[in-house]
Amino acid sequence: MRMRMPPLLRVRGAIADAIWRFSASAIVLLAALCLGDISTLSAQPQPQRFPDDFDQLFAAVELGPDRVLLTEKGEQRPFVVEWRSGARSSIGSVGKGPREFLGPRRLYALTANHVVIEDPYRYTYYPWVDGRVQEGLNLRVVRQGYSQQILAGADTVGRFLFASAHRLGRTPGLRHRYNAKELVAVIGTRGHARLDTVTTLRGSFRAETSVYRMNVGRRLEFQHYSLLVTEEQALLFPDGWLAVLRKEPYRVEWRSPDGAWRRGAVVSDTVIPVTLEEKRYALFRHANALQRLSFKVEEFPNWPPTMPPFPLDALLPLPDGRLAVRRTATAKDHTEWIDIFDRTGKRVDRWRLPRDHQLIGIGAQWLYLTSRDDDDLYSLWRMRWP
């Protein structure tokens, strides 16, 4: 078993320690002057690593102090890991039946014993209640005409939110959200035919380009999408509140269960140009080993002129009702920052993750992170709330 330590900063020596303290104090002071009430965190508790390696991990839901529900690339069922024992147990079965999975991805915890599991391969989401998979709801049946309808949360009274492509980009034939210039956020209710379009969202239009390589005399085609463009996003909380993340300008809006809107203030940030260094880091962070070794950044399309404020799948709910937004990691420090917003739309805190880690879940006691090594193996970490 390989043992790897997280990439945490260590400073030794009296002089180095003094320099570090002065630098950290200056950073905190600068953040306070520029961001008002934001408390920039310069130190984090030591993360704990789960003993096994994984393929790419998508989402994590805390089921208890040492039990975590996970979804993983290539794994056709969700599964639960026991942190202390290392045990792993799968949920449900694989297939095309009413309670079967093909490739689950997003997870939304409604209560301590009720989790909604999205399976994009079947365009379906399934309630998992008291350890049993319930009858799923197919989102293609709910709103026909487009694929890639993405579940974006659910609440405890049976409502669900999904984002669906509305206005497509120029690339022909791709009728899914990654080719959309505009999406709609739609609320539905299980057992009812009525749908309520609550807002429109700016799409990513990631574009597409074909890149060819020769392999043993055969001409192979690879489809590449933009690695940095993003889309506006929405998230339905268990209590019926809806968060909407805007990108130009960067801000958060809230919609209460009775339909009233609260629009948060614009968050001011430094504009970072997309340089060759940023493109190479985006390739390192988002592409697999084959892509990193075989292709150049020039072979990926639609690079934006400046870094987007957040990536795709940037929203995570906090158990206390606040919203966490994953910020775009940059080549400068290889660090993912997390912005925390209250329900007035105000950014009230910032978290700094360990270098080259990504947040995939927030529980009552732990944050759940993932990191990748050079062999494309992923580690699962947990760390206490800052």
Side-chain angles (χ1 to χ4, degrees), residues 38-152:
I38 302 302
S39 56
T40 303
L41 304 172
S42 59
Q44 295 284 5
Q46 182 82 357
Q48 301 176 8
R49 181 180 178 271
F50 190 76
D52 289 343
D53 289 321
F54 300 88
D55 203 337
Q56 181 180 359
L57 291 168
F58 293 129
V61 164
E62 186 177 273
L63 302 177
D66 294 302
R67 299 180 70 239
V68 188
L69 177 66
L70 297 167
T71 53
E72 179 184 10
K73 182 179 179 181
E75 176 60 50
Q76 293 185 292
R77 293 181 291 175
F79 57 95
V80 176
V81 297
E82 304 283 346
W83 203 276
R84 295 188 181 277
S85 67
R88 171 173 171 162
S89 56
S90 297
I91 292 172
S93 56
V94 176
K96 298 182 179 180
R99 294 178 175 85
E100 295 179 324
F101 300 98
L102 288 179
R105 182 161 183 152
R106 295 171 181 83
L107 302 171
Y108 301 100
L110 304 190
T111 65
N113 60 347
H114 185 175
V115 179
V116 170
I117 304 170
E118 181 219 29
D119 189 332
Y121 284 89
R122 300 201 61 196
Y123 308 102
T124 300
Y125 79 85
Y126 304 87
W128 185 55
V129 183
D130 294 327
R132 294 186 178 184
V133 179
Q134 307 296 314
E135 187 77 21
L137 179 66
N138 190 307
L139 295 179
R140 296 186 76 178
V141 175
V142 172
R143 187 173 190 264
Q144 301 179 5
Y146 293 91
S147 63
Q148 293 286 332
Q149 297 184 122
I150 303 302
L151 184 71

Side-chain angles (χ1 to χ4, degrees), residues 267-281:
V267 178
S268 299
D269 276 316
T270 303
V271 176
I272 302 174
V274 176
T275 61
L276 179 59
E277 185 183 14
E278 293 294 353
K279 292 178 183 179
R280 288 172 175 167
Y281 180 61

Side-chain angles (χ1 to χ4, degrees), residues 227-255:
L227 297 176
L228 275 182
V229 294
T230 191
E231 66 189 18
E232 294 183 340
Q233 299 161 43
L235 178 64
L236 181 62
F237 279 66
D239 61 0
W241 281 79
L242 171 69
V244 178
L245 180 62
R246 304 295 186 186
K247 65 177 183 177
E248 295 176 357
Y250 172 43
R251 69 184 190 278
V252 169
E253 301 174 356
W254 288 91
R255 184 179 186 266

Side-chain angles (χ1 to χ4, degrees), residues 137-358:
L137 179 66
N138 190 307
L139 295 179
R140 296 186 76 178
V141 175
V142 172
R143 187 173 190 264
Q144 301 179 5
Y146 293 91
S147 63
Q148 293 286 332
Q149 297 184 122
I150 303 302
L151 184 71
D155 66 17
T156 56
V157 297
R159 301 191 309 164
F160 57 93
L161 177 75
F162 64 89
S164 179
H166 177 60
R167 187 166 61 88
L168 298 176
R170 298 184 302 275
T171 308
L174 298 175
R175 299 179 64 81
H176 55 63
R177 78 186 247 256
Y178 290 147
N179 191 39
K181 288 189 172 182
E182 186 176 87
L183 302 96
V184 288
V186 180
I187 286 182
T189 304
R190 289 181 66 93
H192 298 273
R194 181 187 173 188
L195 299 175
D196 179 18
T197 300
V198 292
T199 190
T200 59
L201 306 169
R202 294 184 184 181
S204 61
F205 184 52
R206 298 179 67 186
E208 178 185 36
T209 187
S210 295
V211 180
Y212 300 92
R213 290 288 188 274
M214 297 300 296
N215 182 32
V216 195
R218 297 179 58 191
R219 187 171 184 255
L220 303 180
E221 180 182 8
F222 298 86
Q223 301 295 325
H224 285 180
Y225 298 90
S226 175
L227 297 176
L228 275 182
V229 294
T230 191
E231 66 189 18
E232 294 183 340
Q233 299 161 43
L235 178 64
L236 181 62
F237 279 66
D239 61 0
W241 281 79
L242 171 69
V244 178
L245 180 62
R246 304 295 186 186
K247 65 177 183 177
E248 295 176 357
Y250 172 43
R251 69 184 190 278
V252 169
E253 301 174 356
W254 288 91
R255 184 179 186 266
S256 67
D258 60 7
W261 284 92
R262 297 178 180 177
R263 289 175 170 82
V266 173
V267 178
S268 299
D269 276 316
T270 303
V271 176
I272 302 174
V274 176
T275 61
L276 179 59
E277 185 183 14
E278 293 294 353
K279 292 178 183 179
R280 288 172 175 167
Y281 180 61
L283 183 63
F284 160 79
R285 189 171 176 86
H286 299 293
N288 58 39
L290 174 63
Q291 290 174 316
R292 297 195 302 272
L293 293 173
S294 305
F295 303 102
K296 300 177 181 179
V297 296
E298 294 81 8
E299 295 176 293
F300 289 81
N302 206 20
W303 292 101
T306 59
M307 296 291 288
F310 47 83
L312 298 169
D313 294 320
L315 301 184
L316 293 98
L318 273 69
D320 60 12
R322 294 180 296 168
L323 177 72
V325 178
R326 297 174 47 231
R327 301 301 305 272
T328 303
T330 68
K332 181 179 179 180
D333 58 6
H334 290 216
T335 298
E336 183 173 279
W337 287 83
I338 309 299
D339 286 352
I340 307 299
F341 289 87
D342 66 15
R343 289 200 169 174
T344 69
K346 180 182 178 181
R347 184 170 69 173
V348 294
D349 206 350
R350 299 197 79 193
W351 299 344
R352 181 178 182 176
L353 301 187
R355 182 181 171 93
D356 288 324
H357 283 53
Q358 177 180 323

